């Protein structure tokens, strides 16, 4: 009796592979390779991606694993230094569709990054920031404002070993900004994401203070590295990363969808 081979989804579950297929960006995203042998994994993920007509495979790997992927046609688009203790994390990619590889916004994104490094902080508004408290909360997560700015990062599934923290800033009992932190205690790494800020106030100052509070919180937990992945087209959030002392780790091309159009994502990291 022949045994039916495992599908990629079944294999991923069995080997603890943390992956998701982003249908909007038509990209297979993998954040953790689990326990699988790389020779088996590469063959299976390539077959799966071709079967579903994916345009791109994006995988987060450690430095020692990256060499194997280079030997099989993958390239590095971004990195986060010392993500795995003494080893860096690399985002290696494989394009199955040439059109997906071409990025007509590359020049625009380069200019946004350049402006982010030279931009100066806007003048504060009449809103006095000393009336805002910043802290963590796991329940009150909605920004109570009809008009808000939303910054989103890379879509990915969260492994069981990650711990979620919801941060918020509030004024007069009204939440005016929130952000999420996913902390991997085993690697001592935290990802900042899902920044939501009320446009009624000074967006720049709110985010600066919110991120500062997050950094201090995780530094106290002995976390060593913080990182965030943000839209490459957003000058505001990229400029704030520069202001906060984050280092640019590279650009993940065409890995997000913004207003119905493919957009790229910038990676930023910081040693705490």
């Amino acid at each position: 009796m022949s045994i039916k081979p495992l599908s990629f989804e079944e294999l991923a579950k069995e080997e603890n592979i943390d992956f998701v297929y982003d249908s909007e960006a038509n990209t297979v995203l993998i954040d953790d390779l689990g326990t699988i042998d790389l020779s088996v994994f590469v063959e299976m993920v390539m077959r799966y991606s071709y079967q579903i007509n994916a345009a791109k495979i994006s995988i987060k790997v450690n430095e020692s694993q990256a060499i194997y992927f280079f030997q099989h046609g993958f390239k590095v688009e971004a990195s986060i230094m010392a993500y795995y203790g003494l080893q860096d994390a690399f985002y290696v990619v494989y394009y199955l569709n040439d059109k997906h590889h071409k990025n007509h916004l590359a020049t625009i994104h380069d200019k946004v990054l350049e402006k982010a490094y030279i931009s100066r902080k806007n003048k504060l508004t009449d809103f006095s920031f000393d009336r805002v408290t910043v802290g963590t909360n796991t329940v009150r997560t909605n920004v109570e404002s009809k008009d808000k700015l939303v910054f989103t990062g890379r879509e990915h599934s969260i492994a069981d070993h990650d711990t979620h923290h919801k941060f918020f800033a509030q004024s007069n009992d009204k939440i005016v900004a929130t952000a999420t932190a996913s902390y991997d205690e085993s690697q001592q790494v935290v990802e900042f994401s899902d920044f939501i800020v009320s446009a009624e106030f000074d967006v720049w100052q709110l985010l600066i203070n919110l991120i500062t509070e997050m950094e201090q919180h995780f530094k106290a937990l002995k976390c060593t590295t913080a990182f965030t992945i943000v839209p490459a087209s957003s000058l505001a959030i990229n400029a704030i990363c520069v202001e906060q002392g984050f280092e640019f780790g590279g650009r993940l091309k065409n890995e997000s969808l913004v207003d119905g159009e493919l957009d790229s994502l910038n990676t930023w990291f910081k040693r705490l």
Side-chain angles (χ1 to χ4, degrees), residues 124-135 168-177 200-202 205-206 209:
L124 297 178
T125 65
D126 293 336
F127 172 67
S128 176
F129 198 75
D130 59 11
R131 290 186 285 110
V132 173
T133 59
V134 182
F168 67 91
Q170 68 181 60
S171 176
N172 298 325
D173 295 325
K174 178 179 180 181
I175 294 177
V176 295
E200 298 175 37
F201 306 106
D202 185 340
Q205 194 64 43
L206 279 174
N209 282 267

Side-chain angles (χ1 to χ4, degrees), residues 5-6 14 22 25 33-35 50 63 66 88 97-98 100 139 153 169 176 187 220 232 243 253-255 257 268 272:
L6 293 175
E14 185 175 284
D22 186 336
L33 292 174
T35 57
Y50 275 116
E63 193 171 358
D88 298 344
N97 185 323
D98 289 339
H100 199 82
V139 180
V176 295
Q187 301 293 346
E243 175 75 13
K253 300 175 184 176
N254 299 332
E255 203 156 321
L257 205 70
W268 296 89
L272 299 179

